[in-house]
Amino acid sequence: AADQIKRLYDLFLKVDATQVEVNPLGETPEGQVVCFDAKINFDDNAEFRQKAVFALDDTAESDPLETEAAKYDLKYIGLDGNIACFVNGAGLAMATCDIIDLHGGRPANFLDLGGGVKENQVYVAFKLLTADPKVEAILVNIFGGIVNCAIIANGITKACRELELKVPLVVRLEGTNVQEAKRILAESGLPITSATDLDDAAKKAVAAIAKK
């Protein structure tokens, strides 16, 4: 058993696991210690080191939108409502969903952009959000700490034009380079509704659907 435990620990380190669970570890009538079942989880952040492990991933039973989002380092979670949420950071995502619900709306999904954002990711994000037939409005809520709001704004305008966005779009941006971002959106000539804060954004997103 001690030999098995040492091997499990070595495995844990070697594959960048977040969990190696053996349940049960049993003894046969002959006195041999055997692992009868096991569960291993891997650290997503170590994918660049563990290409062989992640190549084994079977996405057949995964949500196809979640799988497609992961290819671009985006986190997509599908929900049951009709307002898509495009945010950066899981905490902001949950707060956005909650405040939409507070104002009588229902989140259709949330898509987490993360920190190291590129313009193309914004375009892909909109493509994913609009692929959901339930989506009747999109709420963008970005706080630019390490994210440059101007990159977000350029990505939004590009996506609106190229995808010929048909649903109302409400955008709340705050943080790094936000004034330049607001200028880009204001001068785009696109039907984008700007919001001053999260509460204002949620109210406008819910109202946009109510007008339909």
Side-chain angles (χ1 to χ4, degrees), residues 98-142:
D98 284 348
I99 204 161
I100 286 172
D101 187 67
L102 180 69
H103 289 295
R106 293 179 304 120
N109 47 49
F110 73 74
L111 196 148
D112 180 1
L113 186 62
V117 59
K118 299 179 179 64
E119 197 174 304
N120 184 54
Q121 284 178 301
V122 179
Y123 174 80
V124 171
F126 270 84
K127 199 171 179 180
L128 290 168
L129 292 174
T130 53
D132 184 346
K134 301 193 306 293
V135 169
E136 296 180 38
I138 297 174
L139 169 54
V140 176
N141 182 29
I142 299 290

Side-chain angles (χ1 to χ4, degrees), residues 126 155-165 169 190 192:
F126 270 84
I156 289 172
T157 54
K158 177 186 176 186
C160 286
R161 291 191 177 99
E162 294 188 16
L163 297 173
E164 297 180 354
L165 196 66
L169 172 61
L190 295 165
I192 298 170

Side-chain angles (χ1 to χ4, degrees), residues 15-159:
V15 299
D16 285 295
T18 55
Q19 174 189 23
V20 175
E21 177 185 330
V22 174
N23 187 13
L25 188 68
E27 185 179 0
T28 68
E30 295 75 33
Q32 184 183 13
V33 175
V34 180
C35 162
F36 288 104
D37 195 13
K39 179 178 183 179
I40 305 179
N41 289 333
F42 304 95
D43 185 352
D44 292 345
N45 294 313
E47 184 174 354
F48 72 99
R49 265 197 307 262
Q50 302 293 343
K51 295 191 184 302
V53 170
F54 281 86
L56 298 171
D57 188 14
D58 179 7
T59 58
E61 295 184 14
S62 300
D63 182 321
L65 288 176
E66 288 184 24
T67 303
E68 185 65 19
K71 292 178 184 176
Y72 298 92
D73 293 325
L74 300 167
K75 299 279 190 303
Y76 176 94
I77 304 294
L79 300 169
D80 297 328
N82 54 6
I83 299 176
C85 305
F86 181 26
V87 301
N88 63 318
L92 196 60
M94 290 185 284
T96 303
C97 288
D98 284 348
I99 204 161
I100 286 172
D101 187 67
L102 180 69
H103 289 295
R106 293 179 304 120
N109 47 49
F110 73 74
L111 196 148
D112 180 1
L113 186 62
V117 59
K118 299 179 179 64
E119 197 174 304
N120 184 54
Q121 284 178 301
V122 179
Y123 174 80
V124 171
F126 270 84
K127 199 171 179 180
L128 290 168
L129 292 174
T130 53
D132 184 346
K134 301 193 306 293
V135 169
E136 296 180 38
I138 297 174
L139 169 54
V140 176
N141 182 29
I142 299 290
F143 179 77
I146 55 175
V147 171
N148 186 326
C149 289
I151 292 176
I152 303 289
N154 282 323
I156 289 172
T157 54
K158 177 186 176 186

